[in-house]
Amino acid sequence: MSKAEYKRLGDYIREVNVRNRDLKVTKLVGLTIDKAFIPSVANVIGTDLSNYKVIHHEQFACSLMQVSRDGKMPVAMFEEDEAIMSPAYPMFEVIDKTVLLPQYLMMWFSRSEFDREASYYAVGGVRGSLTWEDFCNMQLPIPSITRQRGIVSEYETLTNRIRLNNQIIQHLEATAQALYRKTFVDNIDKENLPEGWRMGALTDIATYLNGTACQKYETNGQNYLPVLKIRELSQGRCDGNSDHVDVSIPQDYIINTGDVIFSWSATLFIDIWCGGKCALNQHLFKVTSSEFPKWFYFLWTQNHIAEWKRLISAKATSMGHIKREDLDAAQVIIPSKKCLMELNEKMHPIFEMYILKKQENLKLTELQSLLLAKMGQ
């Protein structure tokens, strides 16, 4: 699509500013930097909600503050019936849906290229903010409504498949958790363990490799590995914004799909990594065990995640973290090898499917990114 066919965004949208004067709407939502609406956790006791803005189906909310600092512009299309939001959020809607589909516009806002352009315009703003005028002056290609519907249909097909896989993943996790509880929690008395079982430290069942300061191995060459940091672990993949290191980084700090990784600094997150080969950054532990299945550690930590959060929040500094002595002190039930082998036969196919569905979602996400990139061609 040629540059001549790009149109000014402001000619196709208009601001909306409906207030909750009658207090009819009670559902309060917020907007994340990842372009999604979430239930608000703000304490609104004593707050006059009549001044809050009402957002309706297929309307948009955005934040123009600190866009250049964050490198992203939070903006999303509301898909439910209605809710209220802080009056600080600008809201807008498509003027004519027979000319521009809201879903197509949301796809455009989802492009990394859009975020880069918004960040560029925001550089000169107060605290890196984007003005409404500059936002409206941004341009986008607007093909025929038939072509828009086709593009949206392709994207939604991928989105629905990802959503279905996530439901399957949640079901697999629930099944594994139920098996874990039945074997290691329900009717288990720590003071009177079955024969062959014992209490031991978390470090008795696995080793924990702390990542390295990957900037020491930074490279601009063609032969590189992406760097796994807390950000990448939480989103389940490395992307175009991930750092890179030379492949000569020591093998100990290279991880692969199936490795158990958890963050030990500031933000607690644990998962079985499914994003392929990459380098392990500091503030992350790689967990390995020659005796215990990976799922055992994964399930144990998931069932004791509240204790990890308590350990982190109890630290005196704002960057609380889990130390090696915390791992040594953490007590866990260590079952007999026979019990582990029996349970592993049940768990293995669950986690095989778990990894498979996560890998499939990574491929589907890549296809979404390609489709978004093609919108600007």
Side-chain angles (χ1 to χ4, degrees):
M1 189 169 289
S2 66
K3 184 68 175 177
E5 294 176 282
Y6 275 58
K7 307 294 183 180
R8 178 179 177 271
L9 174 62
D11 295 334
Y12 294 85
I13 63 172
R14 62 187 169 209
E15 283 192 86
V16 292
N17 187 9
V18 178
R19 304 293 173 130
N20 191 32
R21 299 302 185 195
D22 57 4
L23 299 176
K24 179 181 177 181
V25 185
T26 58
K27 181 175 182 177
L28 179 63
V29 297
L31 182 63
T32 73
I33 195 172
D34 294 319
K35 306 178 190 288
F37 290 100
I38 58 171
S40 176
V41 296
N43 183 359
V44 294
I45 297 176
T47 303
D48 180 12
L49 297 180
S50 66
N51 194 42
Y52 274 49
K53 291 182 178 180
V54 179
I55 187 168
H56 292 96
H57 183 65
E58 294 186 348
Q59 290 182 339
F60 293 79
C62 65
S63 174
L64 304 176
M65 303 296 291
Q66 300 176 332
V67 173
S68 65
R69 185 201 70 178
D70 297 330
K72 272 189 175 185
M73 178 180 166
V75 56
M77 182 188 74
F78 194 65
E79 299 184 10
E80 299 181 41
D81 292 334
E82 62 181 7
I84 54 174
M85 301 185 70
S86 165
Y89 289 108
M91 293 182 184
F92 59 94
E93 64 185 4
V94 172
I95 296 173
D96 188 349
K97 296 179 183 179
T98 65
V99 177
L100 176 62
L101 291 176
Q103 293 79 6
Y104 175 87
L105 180 57
M106 187 61 229
M107 285 181 62
W108 183 260
F109 290 150
S110 300
R111 302 172 77 243
S112 57
E113 294 85 355
F114 167 80
D115 284 325
R116 284 196 290 270
E117 184 179 3
S119 299
Y120 171 79
Y121 286 120
V123 168
V126 178
R127 296 181 180 176
S129 299
L130 184 69
T131 67
W132 176 256
E133 181 181 4
D134 283 341
F135 176 57
C136 288
N137 284 334
M138 295 178 72
Q139 297 188 341
L140 75 159
I142 301 182
S144 69
I145 199 69
T146 300
R147 178 60 183 147
Q148 289 181 48
R149 291 194 183 101
I151 293 172
V152 169
S153 178
E154 289 181 64
Y155 192 80
E156 288 184 345
T157 297
L158 297 173
T159 300
N160 290 335
R161 182 63 189 181
I162 291 173
R163 185 180 296 115
L164 176 61
N165 280 347
N166 284 334
Q167 292 174 354
I168 295 173
I169 289 169
Q170 291 175 3
H171 178 72
L172 291 170
E173 289 177 338
T175 302
Q177 294 286 355
L179 284 171
Y180 174 90
R181 288 192 299 271
K182 182 178 179 181
T183 306
F184 299 112
V185 179
D186 296 342
N187 301 317
I188 296 296
D189 180 4
K190 293 182 179 180
E191 303 300 324
N192 188 26
L193 292 173
E195 183 178 355
W197 293 38
R198 65 185 176 89
M199 295 296 297
L202 191 56
T203 45
D204 288 345
I205 67 170
T207 58
Y208 306 85
L209 174 68
N210 188 13
T212 185
C214 284
Q215 62 266 27
K216 296 185 298 184
Y217 306 96
E218 191 174 4
T219 180
N220 293 319
Q222 298 297 315
N223 201 8
Y224 61 81
L225 289 173
V227 177
L228 175 63
K229 297 183 178 180
I230 294 176
R231 168 186 169 273
E232 284 75 14
L233 181 63
S234 64
Q235 70 181 14
R237 64 188 178 94
C238 296
D239 55 25
N241 295 318
S242 301
D243 294 336
H244 297 92
V245 296
D246 192 85
V247 293
S248 63
I249 189 172
Q251 288 294 311
D252 286 347
Y253 300 113
I254 296 178
I255 64 171
N256 295 280
T257 292
D259 286 336
V260 176
I261 310 294
F262 82 87
S263 58
W264 56 262
S265 177
T267 302
L268 176 65
F269 200 89
I270 180 167
D271 204 355
I272 295 180
W273 178 246
C274 297
K277 182 180 289 187
C278 56
L280 184 67
N281 195 57
Q282 56 189 349
H283 302 292
L284 295 173
F285 274 129
K286 173 186 175 181
V287 185
T288 57
S289 175
S290 59
E291 183 177 350
F292 292 87
K294 293 173 181 176
W295 57 259
F296 178 77
Y297 176 83
F298 175 75
L299 285 176
W300 187 89
T301 47
Q302 288 287 32
N303 277 273
H304 294 74
I305 205 164
E307 175 65 10
W308 291 119
K309 290 183 177 179
R310 186 196 65 76
L311 284 172
I312 289 179
S313 62
K315 304 299 180 181
T317 65
S318 59
M319 286 292 289
H321 58 273
I322 296 172
K323 297 181 179 180
R324 183 73 57 171
E325 51 263 38
D326 295 321
L327 298 174
D328 291 332
Q331 292 293 296
V332 56
I333 296 175
I334 301 178
S336 65
K337 292 183 179 179
K338 179 182 177 181
C339 180
L340 275 176
M341 291 177 60
E342 291 175 350
L343 190 57
N344 188 46
E345 292 182 4
K346 300 177 183 178
M347 288 289 197
H348 184 74
I350 294 176
F351 278 90
E352 286 290 302
M353 182 61 71
Y354 175 90
I355 292 175
L356 180 64
K357 290 301 176 182
K358 282 207 164 187
Q359 289 178 313
E360 184 178 334
N361 274 359
L362 291 177
K363 294 297 183 183
L364 292 169
T365 301
E366 289 177 8
L367 290 174
Q368 283 185 319
S369 297
L370 288 173
L371 186 58
L372 292 176
K374 289 175 63 176
M375 292 176 71
Q377 298 176 357

